[in-house]
Amino acid sequence: MSSDHLLSSYDYHLPPELIAQNPMTPRDHSRLLVINSPTTHIHSIFRDLPQWLSPGDLLVFNNTRVIPARLYGKKSTGAPVEILLLEEKEPLCWLALVKPGKRFKIGSEIYFHLDNNDCSQDNCLVATVVDRDEETGGRLLKFNVESLELFWQKIEELGQIPFPPYVTESKAQPSQYQTIYAEKPGAVAAPTAGLHFTDELLETLQQKGINQAYITLHVGLGTFRPVDIENIKEHKMHQEWIEVPEITVEKIKETKAKGNRVIAVGTTVVRALEGAAKATEMAGKQGLIPFRGKTDMFIYPGYSWRIIDGMITNFHLPKSSLLMLVSALIGRNRLLELYQIAIQEKYRFYSFGDGMLVLSGDEAINITRNPI
């Protein structure tokens, strides 16, 4: 078996002090490692991104919005409960991770309220465990509220934006874990490559003639679930909801027709665009058409690229599916070498950390392009 397909091949040691606990302020003052050829790299600053792109290039962003998915409540016995909403399965019914999980039997009720001594109808949200999800070990929770509008009102009042578990000493505000263009609620984690952008930077990009388009991928378990099997080809991604709208498809086609590049802002955009293209092929069509549905796209070395010509990404956890995705773009050995350089240069890692720009140009990465 190829080393590229072994989980142990994606391990590296990161000094704990390089795990970013707080975002850079301003956002676009983070560092940017530019990968501009198979053998060279350049140390830059994110606000200088426009100089690395060309007029006519297209940046594609993920406009998902992180919801206050972490809730603290109590069972009817008074025992404390913590849940993390993962995915809306149907109206008012959510898949959730629960702590402590073993005690959550079907029929159990959980009460969420601001005042621990008063759970009246006006200030309380009640959920009933209706099923167990074998794949995730989570529970399906049915929320006992009259409407979706009231549900979201309660979630905003009672829930918290869930920072990643490795962010343990952060002073960041919840708004700093949202992109400035976040629009469609549904994610339980931020598309972190987009956290570097400011209004001023977007304006500068636009003035240079670098175009912008949007997809939606509601970041969930598929993105942050660890790979735990040595043969990574046997790993099954959890499905995540995506939408690639018609206007974005048209912009991509126009960009390609003019010989310019499609640059994905983050791994979630990569998975959405490539997942939509795969769905198009499975429907017996070529290229890319608007798509709305779910994807379980898992990209690792050996993947034949369909849409993207480059990407912006953060530095990812060892043995993660995100590390494998970037390896598919520039090669595992080279990526791990670049990570060692980033560690030596004291780059900041993970969600609140620095960024990397991978450009294809004509030489940096080898992408198989299908006509669209």
Side-chain angles (χ1 to χ4, degrees), residues 35-234:
I35 316 306
N36 62 333
S37 86
T39 57
T40 63
H41 61 274
I42 299 170
H43 299 291
S44 185
I45 301 296
F46 205 91
R47 65 175 180 268
D48 292 335
L49 176 64
Q51 79 177 57
W52 302 111
L53 302 178
S54 302
D57 286 345
L58 177 66
L59 287 171
V60 184
F61 301 89
N62 183 3
N63 64 4
T64 189
R65 185 172 186 83
V66 184
I67 63 173
R70 179 164 284 125
L71 296 166
Y72 296 92
K74 292 184 177 180
K75 296 180 67 175
S76 57
T77 60
V81 170
E82 177 186 344
I83 74 166
L84 178 68
L85 299 176
L86 288 181
E87 179 186 353
E88 186 180 30
K89 291 294 189 178
E90 58 184 63
L92 301 178
C93 187
W94 281 74
L95 171 63
L97 298 180
V98 297
K99 291 182 182 180
K102 293 182 179 180
R103 300 179 182 177
F104 280 81
K105 298 180 179 179
I106 294 176
S108 299
E109 290 187 335
I110 311 169
Y111 300 86
F112 307 96
H113 44 92
L114 293 172
D115 184 348
N116 290 332
N117 298 315
D118 178 19
C119 193
S120 64
Q121 185 175 1
D122 291 337
N123 72 351
C124 191
L125 183 64
V126 182
T128 303
V129 179
V130 296
D131 204 354
R132 175 184 172 88
D133 183 68
E134 296 298 331
E135 180 184 359
T136 63
R139 302 294 190 273
L140 287 176
L141 303 180
K142 183 70 174 181
F143 287 90
N144 304 330
V145 291
E146 297 177 354
S147 65
L148 281 172
E149 181 180 3
L150 183 58
F151 169 78
W152 284 112
Q153 177 183 328
K154 293 295 184 183
I155 292 298
E156 291 292 336
E157 292 175 356
L158 301 170
Q160 297 180 11
I161 296 293
F163 285 3
Y166 46 77
V167 176
T168 58
E169 300 175 1
S170 182
K171 298 179 181 179
Q173 297 299 310
S175 61
Q176 293 178 284
Y177 195 56
Q178 301 276 15
T179 63
I180 62 169
Y181 46 80
E183 179 183 354
K184 298 185 178 182
V188 300
T192 54
L195 295 179
H196 303 283
F197 287 86
T198 62
D199 289 321
E200 293 78 12
L201 179 56
L202 290 177
E203 177 64 25
T204 301
L205 289 162
Q206 190 171 19
Q207 290 176 356
K208 188 176 177 180
I210 298 160
N211 300 312
Q212 301 166 22
Y214 296 88
I215 59 88
T216 304
L217 183 147
H218 289 323
V219 186
L221 198 59
T223 295
F224 60 78
R225 187 180 189 183
V227 179
D228 56 8
I229 187 167
E230 180 64 9
N231 180 0
I232 67 170
K233 296 169 71 174
E234 297 179 5

Side-chain angles (χ1 to χ4, degrees), residues 244-311:
V244 180
E246 182 175 0
I247 187 172
T248 296
V249 170
E250 292 304 316
K251 287 185 177 182
I252 289 172
K253 290 181 177 179
E254 291 172 5
T255 301
K256 296 281 191 178
K258 294 177 180 178
N260 297 113
R261 298 173 297 190
V262 175
I263 309 295
V265 180
T267 58
T268 60
V269 174
V270 173
R271 292 181 59 237
L273 293 179
E274 297 292 321
K278 180 181 178 181
T280 301
E281 291 177 7
M282 293 179 67
K285 302 179 181 180
Q286 283 191 338
L288 182 66
I289 60 176
F291 180 80
R292 181 185 175 96
K294 290 186 175 181
T295 184
D296 59 359
M297 174 69 73
F298 178 29
I299 297 174
Y300 51 83
Y303 176 77
S304 295
W305 296 92
R306 295 165 170 86
I307 303 298
I308 72 162
D309 302 301
M311 69 178 300

Side-chain angles (χ1 to χ4, degrees), residues 322-367:
L322 307 182
L323 195 66
M324 296 164 193
L325 183 153
V326 185
S327 294
L329 200 58
I330 65 174
R332 176 180 58 85
N333 287 331
R334 184 162 190 239
L335 182 64
L336 291 177
E337 289 173 0
L338 289 165
Y339 269 46
Q340 289 306 311
I341 291 170
I343 290 171
Q344 293 170 10
E345 295 293 328
K346 306 296 184 184
Y347 274 70
R348 303 164 69 250
F349 276 61
Y350 304 164
S351 294
F352 283 139
D354 297 316
M356 174 186 289
L357 171 63
V358 181
L359 291 173
S360 64
D362 295 322
E363 302 174 352
I365 53 180
N366 182 19
I367 293 182

